Amino acid sequence: QVQLVESGGGLVQAGGSLRLSCVASGRTFATYTMAWFRQAPGKERDFVAGINRSAGNTYYGDSVKGRFTISRDNAKNAVYLQMNSLKPEDTSVYFCAGTRLYGTPFLENQYDYWGQGTQVTVSS
């Protein structure tokens, strides 16, 4: 099992940037495909970005392509989400998630491990 803890959320003006971090417990982090999801009040949890075990492949939801970048450091058991050119519609709780699946999983039910979430608020 792995436990995930997110940090780095906060309040930022439109056009600004934030970097989210997610640190995992345990010694098997490198065996997980990792992703970020987000959920706004009253809405479903949406896929944001994913990264494979070796960080050789990244993939993104359409709404964040070109603005967000996912990365990972297996030596530090960490995955990151650099968010640039933030918009008010990016306001959500952001969740880190992990799965043993290969490929490019992007559905919520494909992920077994979740963090508690971190709030990102973008003001206009």
Side-chain angles (χ1 to χ4, degrees):
Q1 281 196 347
V2 62
Q3 292 183 323
L4 305 172
V5 179
E6 303 98 333
S7 62
L11 174 64
V12 63
Q13 289 189 333
S17 299
L18 278 176
R19 187 188 192 219
L20 305 183
S21 299
C22 172
V23 177
S25 65
R27 291 181 283 183
T28 61
F29 177 74
T31 66
Y32 289 87
T33 297
M34 299 299 296
W36 289 92
F37 287 75
R38 66 186 182 186
Q39 187 169 22
K43 295 189 176 182
E44 294 183 349
R45 193 169 295 188
D46 291 331
F47 172 79
V48 175
I51 188 166
N52 71 343
R53 288 159 174 73
S54 66
N57 182 39
T58 59
Y59 50 108
Y60 299 90
D62 289 341
S63 62
V64 306
K65 283 180 182 176
R67 300 188 298 124
F68 290 11
T69 302
I70 188 171
S71 61
R72 69 189 292 165
D73 185 337
N74 288 341
K76 295 182 178 179
N77 278 14
V79 60
Y80 308 100
L81 185 68
Q82 178 66 45
M83 306 185 294
N84 298 330
S85 302
L86 282 162
K87 306 174 181 179
E89 51 264 44
D90 293 319
T91 295
S92 287
V93 178
Y94 283 72
F95 297 89
C96 173
T99 179
R100 288 288 181 90
L101 294 176
Y102 288 87
T104 56
F106 62 91
L107 298 175
E108 184 180 356
N109 62 12
Q110 292 176 303
Y111 285 81
D112 301 308
Y113 302 102
W114 294 85
Q116 82 290 349
T118 185
Q119 176 70 47
V120 171
T121 303
V122 184
S123 63
S124 57

